[in-house]
Amino acid sequence: MGQQLGCCVPQGVNDAFTSLNIRFMRKKKEEKALRSSGAELSEPFAIDWTKARPENWKFESTTGPGSYFFKFEPEIDDVKGPISDGEKKLKSRPENYEGMMYQTSMKDWPSDQQSYKLVKRTGSGYSFTAGQSENFTYVQAKYQALERYDRISLDPDPYTDSMSFRRQRLGKPCHPGRG
């Protein structure tokens, strides 16, 4: 018969219960089919940014109160030196850095008193919080593989424009991946 439950249920009820309970009918781990070697990742998926086209990197500045959040602890390099050097470093090696953050008013200070933070590209999910205050500036290095949707022209054609769904004309086209 099936496995016996360790409670005070009469014998006949216990047997009926175990035959109906799916948990007792599961295969043991060693009886299950083996998964292929490629079915599981041996390491987290990572994008190789070194092969990215240099002309597709865009650098967007955002101001805010200086707060940020992340999924995993980011690697942040605190650098004392001119902010312009940090911008050059970010723009020359965007595959290594997610962005840079600095105090907005610090750009007007003498270069020997300036400092900035470079956020390394580690997949941490780092995100700068934009806001009303302009205390801090974050320059993000974004890779845009496709041209922005507002910079492309869509020529009308007889097929797309006549498409419908449930006798309703389709709305404006979406442009995924185009910013």
Side-chain angles (χ1 to χ4, degrees), residues 93-112:
R93 291 189 280 162
E95 69 276 2
N96 296 337
Y97 299 105
E98 187 97 19
M100 71 173 282
M101 184 171 67
Y102 58 89
Q103 187 177 329
T104 306
S105 62
M106 197 178 281
K107 263 196 151 177
D108 301 329
W109 296 8
S111 60
D112 61 329

Side-chain angles (χ1 to χ4, degrees), residues 152-168:
I152 61 171
S153 63
L154 294 175
D155 298 327
D157 64 74
Y159 307 105
T160 309
D161 294 334
S162 64
M163 292 175 77
S164 64
F165 178 71
R166 294 185 181 166
R167 298 183 185 160
Q168 296 280 330

